[in-house]
Amino acid sequence: MPSRFSRTELPRRDNGPRPGRRHFFLGGLLALGGAAASAGIADVYYPLAGLPDDFATGTGERRLYRLPDGSQLLLNARSCADLSYTDKERTLHLYEGAVSLTAHPDAKRAFLIRTTEGTVRPVGPRIMVRQQMRRTLVVARDNAAEITTSAGTRAMLAAGSGARFDNVLVGTARADLLADAAWETGWVDVKERPLLEVIQALRPYRKGALRISIAAGGLLASGRYPLDDTDAALRALQADMPIQVRRITPWFTSIDLARARARSYAIGRG
């Protein structure tokens, strides 16, 4: 299956105005009609919040950026971030989505990733960070990472584990969270995780709204599902679980509990 993946060589940052890309996307959005409804539809293709940022990806797009210092950023779909360099540190501000960083060693300047909830400093080259709703997920696969919350709480995350943190507290490190980095190769990989989490991972790769009911979202899913073919992923989920997937319009898909199958599914799992 072909991957929607692109590479970008990033030139050195110019502090002057950068009208080209911004005007290109704003112009495209205005061409849709200028109305709020049209802008909402356009945001399905490209995150409007990402327009002013150094890095941004659209729906279904993963992009690899090569930085001037030799570091690399792999940005997940519908993600956006800014980068700043000083004499003491290199800082990536992640506003939306997820990023996988391979930092080039620099003894004088640490590489930090800042989110709404705090800061992550990898103790080694690689780290994956995802901005979630009111919390941040960190996956330290090959090396440890230091987490500092906005309130000043510090914790070391050991290699081979992942953890979530909010503005104040850092959660328990868990090895099963390593699977949350599977998006890097185009997959959702889950074992006994709420179906809602699978749907949340598919949304940045699907044009239009993908809604799930509370009852269906609480079902536990296990499997490996493709991000680059969300229709195939939904078909597989419907075959595996007691859910009904309905594509009401090209822009709206709903997922609900298939109650006729739910009882036998629960008995089988018990």
Side-chain angles (χ1 to χ4, degrees), residues 229-252:
D229 189 344
T230 58
D231 285 332
L234 293 174
R235 287 194 299 268
L237 287 166
Q238 185 169 243
D240 293 344
M241 306 182 71
I243 59 173
Q244 181 181 22
V245 179
R246 293 186 301 163
R247 188 165 186 174
I248 299 173
T249 73
W251 298 101
F252 187 84

Side-chain angles (χ1 to χ4, degrees), residues 10 55 65-74 81-94 99-114 119-127 129 143-146:
L10 185 74
F55 314 103
Y65 291 90
R66 302 183 186 277
L67 307 185
D69 67 354
S71 300
Q72 294 186 18
L73 303 175
L74 178 61
D82 270 340
L83 180 67
S84 62
Y85 284 179
T86 69
D87 293 337
K88 296 182 178 180
E89 62 185 38
R90 300 163 290 174
T91 305
L92 183 78
H93 299 262
L94 179 64
V99 64
S100 179
L101 166 69
T102 303
H104 188 272
D106 187 333
K108 296 181 179 180
R109 296 187 299 175
F111 209 126
L112 308 177
I113 299 179
R114 297 190 188 277
T119 303
V120 179
R121 181 180 68 85
V123 184
R126 295 194 63 193
I127 199 74
V129 179
N143 47 261
E146 181 183 45

Side-chain angles (χ1 to χ4, degrees), residues 10-26:
L10 185 74
R12 295 189 178 275
R13 187 170 183 178
D14 182 358
N15 292 326
R18 295 176 294 152
R21 189 185 69 172
R22 190 177 305 171
H23 287 180
F24 173 83
F25 285 110
L26 289 177

Side-chain angles (χ1 to χ4, degrees), residues 215-236:
L219 295 172
L220 296 181
S222 294
R224 188 172 169 86
Y225 305 99
L227 289 171
D228 295 328
D229 189 344
T230 58
D231 285 332
L234 293 174
R235 287 194 299 268

Side-chain angles (χ1 to χ4, degrees), residues 155-214:
M156 289 299 299
L157 180 64
S161 63
R164 296 184 176 95
F165 68 94
D166 59 21
N167 290 323
V168 178
L169 300 175
V170 179
T172 303
R174 295 164 42 188
D176 66 296
L177 290 177
L178 290 175
D180 284 66
W183 65 265
E184 297 171 358
T185 53
W187 296 92
V188 183
D189 193 353
V190 292
K191 184 177 181 180
E192 296 292 299
R193 300 278 288 275
L195 178 58
L196 175 61
E197 294 186 13
V198 179
I199 300 307
Q200 288 173 336
L202 292 176
R203 280 172 177 154
Y205 287 83
R206 189 171 182 86
K207 298 177 177 67
L210 182 58
R211 302 292 172 85
I212 185 169
S213 68
I214 295 175

